[in-house]
Amino acid sequence: MKRKIIVTGGAGFIGSHLVDKLIAGGNEVTVIDNLSSGKMEFIEHHDQDPNFKLVKLDMLELEKLKQAIKGADMVYHLAANPDVRLGAENTKVHLEQNIMVTYNLLESMRMNKQQNIVFTSTSTVYGEASIIPTPENYGPLIPISLYGASKLACEALITSYCHTFEMRSWIFRFANIVGERGTHGIIIDFINKLKTNPKALEILGDGQQRKSYIHVSDCIEGILFAVNNSDEMANIFNIGSTDTINSTQIGELIVKEMGLHDVKFTYTGGNRGWKGDVPKMLLSIDKLQKLGWNPSHNSKSSVIAATRSTLEKQ
Ligand code: NAD
């Protein structure tokens, strides 16, 4: 069935892959993006498609946002500032770009009587979880980054709007998503550092931070599968791979993929990369698996695929 769909943040890394998939499925897609970190080159291949439209808009502008989303059956809300590290330097950015933007979207939907929202949340809402793999019903949720706090606040706003105004939501808590068009994160950092100096790689922390990585193609499949197969008022799912890889191992894989030898690894020390970094993260994806979805990549193959596509584009 052809649907009218809004993708906020659709010019970004994950959003643009979602747009590709939704357009390929014959849907009518409007991207709302202020191009702060999103890029035209990620979406311009749809320019001539009558099912595609870009509205360049800062979602802090409530009235314009309300007009822009009118008539859509479904809103995929990905627009955010996703930089976890930034919160330690700038305490306002996640409040504005994540919480206020989400509030504006919910208000616009409420006023337009639009009901269906998909939200991209994060593993960082769990903080330093004592149960690993961490299931969706883990608690209490004690984020340790301002980014994690902002995403948890967004989740709470969304579920309470759903209850109060008869809306429905799908909330996805992602592990680390990697792949083509990635613009930030450990893979990009390591590749850039090694291009500058192919003899040495500085790794943040002690290199033992161990996390789950999942390829963006799996992430998109998982989202669409869950949206099509669940219909509670608030459907909350983790999306990740079923294993982990540590920072040193990622460094070794990237060195190999770049064809480098005798690279000296140095460590900045401590058990985390930065203030707010969660050193160990693995999400339980039992809930999605029981529904019938499985990722096709593990952490290692996700990192390798992402490294190759990044190197090809450079
Ligand atoms: P991204 O920075 O590539 O995409 C975010 C998009 O939102 C960009 O296109 C940006 O221009 C747009 N945007 C930001 N503020 C806006 C505003 N005020 N108005 C309109 N547009 C705005 O990031 P991404 O990695 O693709 O992340 C997408 C979503 O997934 C985010 O919500 C992020 O928090 C979440 N997420 C990402 C990861 C990951 O590993 N990449 C992990 C967990 C959650």
Side-chain angles (χ1 to χ4, degrees):
M1 188 183 65
K2 181 170 175 168
R3 307 190 80 176
K4 285 189 172 189
I5 298 174
I6 300 287
V7 181
T8 78
F13 161 44
I14 303 171
S16 62
H17 286 280
L18 178 64
V19 170
D20 288 348
K21 193 80 187 178
L22 292 171
I23 292 270
N27 298 289
E28 210 178 297
V29 177
T30 299
V31 166
I32 297 180
D33 203 300
N34 66 355
L35 301 178
S36 52
S37 60
K39 295 189 177 154
M40 280 306 293
E41 65 192 77
F42 293 170
I43 48 169
E44 63 195 3
H45 50 286
H46 297 300
D47 259 358
Q48 302 304 318
D49 191 325
N51 282 329
F52 174 80
K53 191 171 141 195
L54 167 67
V55 178
K56 197 175 163 213
L57 174 68
D58 188 332
M59 293 176 67
L60 290 172
E61 296 190 60
L62 175 62
E63 211 29 63
K64 287 186 184 164
L65 180 61
K66 187 180 146 198
Q67 295 306 323
I69 67 164
K70 266 194 180 143
D73 317 310
M74 189 84 181
V75 178
Y76 286 81
H77 176 36
L78 283 79
N81 184 308
D83 186 349
V84 188
R85 291 159 70 169
L86 203 59
E89 294 155 26
N90 179 342
T91 53
K92 212 172 179 184
V93 65
H94 294 127
L95 183 79
E96 278 179 357
Q97 298 301 320
N98 300 354
I99 304 177
M100 278 312 295
V101 156
T102 301
Y103 167 75
N104 280 355
L105 178 62
L106 289 166
E107 271 299 276
S108 301
M109 291 179 70
R110 177 183 71 80
M111 291 186 277
N112 290 339
K113 300 199 179 343
Q114 289 167 286
Q115 285 168 325
N116 300 309
I117 180 168
V118 174
F119 178 65
T120 50
S121 188
T122 154
S123 63
T124 61
V125 297
Y126 294 115
E128 294 185 279
S130 57
I131 299 175
I132 289 178
T134 312
E136 290 86 351
N137 60 4
Y138 174 85
L141 298 178
I142 308 176
I144 60 163
S145 61
L146 272 65
Y147 169 76
S150 73
K151 286 288 186 172
L152 184 55
C154 292
E155 287 192 16
L157 275 176
I158 290 169
T159 58
S160 49
Y161 263 73
C162 284
H163 180 81
T164 313
F165 305 110
E166 282 160 30
M167 293 163 65
R168 182 170 296 173
S169 59
W170 291 263
I171 292 172
F172 296 97
R173 295 175 178 158
F174 292 162
N176 290 314
I177 314 296
V178 294
E180 195 181 335
R181 305 179 194 156
T183 50
H184 55 273
I186 187 167
I187 296 176
I188 313 284
D189 276 0
F190 282 6
I191 290 176
N192 288 342
K193 281 179 179 171
L194 287 165
K195 288 213 156 159
T196 309
N197 181 0
K199 285 283 160 212
L201 178 64
E202 182 197 68
I203 296 178
L204 301 181
D206 58 7
Q208 297 305 306
Q209 303 95 302
R210 177 167 280 286
K211 304 182 192 191
S212 161
Y213 292 78
I214 182 165
H215 196 262
V216 65
S217 55
D218 275 333
C219 168
I220 303 298
E221 296 286 344
I223 293 174
L224 296 176
F225 181 87
V227 168
N228 289 328
N229 289 283
S230 57
D231 60 0
E232 301 289 317
M233 179 199 77
N235 305 279
I236 301 184
F237 293 99
N238 289 334
I239 293 192
S241 57
T242 53
D243 64 355
T244 57
I245 186 167
N246 74 29
S247 306
T248 298
Q249 289 167 324
I250 293 177
E252 286 163 357
L253 287 176
I254 293 177
V255 163
K256 191 169 163 214
E257 288 298 321
M258 291 177 76
L260 302 173
H261 301 281
D262 305 322
V263 178
K264 187 174 164 31
F265 286 8
T266 57
Y267 298 92
T268 58
N271 72 340
R272 60 184 95 229
W274 59 87
K275 261 240 170 326
D277 184 27
V278 175
K280 195 165 181 200
M281 181 271 287
L282 175 63
L283 303 177
S284 162
I285 58 163
D286 278 8
K287 193 174 167 190
L288 252 182
Q289 286 178 315
K290 281 189 183 126
L291 210 58
W293 178 81
N294 275 294
S296 57
H297 290 76
N298 62 18
S299 288
K300 183 177 171 182
S301 66
S302 298
V303 169
I304 291 175
T307 304
R308 287 183 186 165
S309 54
T310 307
L311 291 172
E312 268 164 29
K313 293 279 167 196
Q314 286 187 340

